[in-house]
Amino acid sequence: MRDILSKYLPERAIASVMLLLEQHQVSLKIVNQRISKHGDYRRYANGQHQITVNANLNQYRFLITLIHEIAHLVAFQKYGNTIKPHGIEWKRTFQRLMLPFINPAVFPSKLLPYIANHFKNPKASSDTDARLSVLLKHYDADNDKNYIFELPKGSVFRIHNGKVFKKGNKRVKLYECAELSSGKIYLFQPNAEVELLKVS
């Protein structure tokens, strides 16, 4: 297991993560990229716990995602299955489990203030914390994607399912974008990754 985790996690986090997985008897599966989520947790009828995490995540996002999912397991065990998946019980559990990792031996120093700030009130997805998401992207493998907020107004872009949009106005935090084929307006997170299209 250590050899596998060494491909996906910061070196100084591996021992603690292995301890958590053993302590809670978690089966970890590393899977192909899913657009809609970085990871998930499931408890099967036989009592087995399984966590899946996307293989394409950089080591820091992989660690945050894995601890996020372990926090679901621990919160359900402690508080019962009737709690909200991302309610206060999960938030407190996630904070507690993550705290030992928030140090310069695990994360780069320039990330630490943003990670510490995020964990004052962790969200259902680290992607909704635009500043942290942008900083974490610096550690991804190079790709041809852009964030919505980087594009000039009027830019035309394509999303993962092939639909094409034109960027419009900013509404508080989200961007209004018109789907070109239907004219419908959709709201996008500023850190949504899209493919910029050249329009002649």
Side-chain angles (χ1 to χ4, degrees):
M1 176 60 87
R2 184 180 183 89
D3 289 344
I4 294 170
L5 290 177
S6 67
K7 298 175 186 175
Y8 298 100
L9 289 172
E11 178 63 30
R12 298 293 290 273
I14 294 171
S16 297
V17 166
M18 286 181 65
L19 197 61
L20 281 172
L21 294 174
E22 290 166 12
Q23 181 182 350
H24 298 288
Q25 300 181 320
V26 179
S27 169
L28 173 63
K29 280 183 70 177
I30 298 165
V31 299
N32 292 332
Q33 178 183 6
R34 295 160 295 186
I35 297 297
S36 60
K37 56 188 173 184
H38 295 314
D40 70 10
Y41 160 69
R42 291 182 185 177
R43 183 181 185 275
Y44 291 102
N46 64 3
Q48 182 188 359
H49 303 287
Q50 180 178 280
I51 286 171
T52 62
V53 181
N54 292 0
N56 67 312
L57 304 181
N58 71 54
Q59 60 183 341
Y60 307 115
R61 199 185 292 276
F62 192 101
L63 175 59
I64 292 169
T65 301
L66 180 53
I67 303 303
H68 172 129
E69 302 305 339
I70 293 173
H72 282 304
L73 186 166
V74 175
F76 285 137
Q77 285 181 330
K78 184 172 181 180
Y79 300 104
N81 291 335
T82 58
I83 62 170
K84 292 181 179 178
H86 296 107
I88 190 65
E89 299 88 354
W90 171 80
K91 287 175 186 278
R92 288 176 179 159
T93 304
F94 193 14
Q95 288 168 326
R96 180 175 57 80
L97 292 175
M98 204 53 213
L99 191 58
F101 298 102
I102 303 176
N103 68 73
V106 175
F107 288 99
S109 296
K110 64 181 179 181
L111 269 183
L112 281 174
Y114 300 96
I115 288 173
N117 187 63
H118 177 78
F119 279 94
K120 288 178 183 176
N121 184 25
K123 304 291 189 290
S125 170
S126 59
D127 283 350
T128 57
D129 184 336
R131 185 174 289 179
L132 177 58
S133 184
V134 169
L135 288 168
L136 284 170
K137 187 178 187 290
H138 292 159
Y139 301 92
D140 289 346
D142 288 339
N143 63 38
D144 60 353
K145 298 290 192 292
N146 295 89
Y147 286 127
I148 290 273
F149 78 85
E150 296 174 315
L151 306 180
K153 183 180 175 183
S155 296
V156 176
F157 62 87
R158 180 165 40 222
I159 63 173
H160 63 89
N161 61 8
K163 290 185 177 181
V164 177
F165 295 82
K166 187 173 186 178
K167 181 180 175 182
N169 295 318
K170 188 175 184 182
R171 185 197 291 180
V172 189
K173 293 182 179 179
L174 305 178
Y175 287 93
E176 295 179 345
C177 301
E179 184 186 4
L180 292 190
S181 64
S182 68
K184 288 183 180 177
I185 301 295
Y186 292 83
L187 296 176
F188 282 81
Q189 292 280 354
N191 59 322
E193 286 190 292
V194 299
E195 178 189 354
L196 178 63
L197 300 178
K198 292 179 180 176
V199 181
S200 55

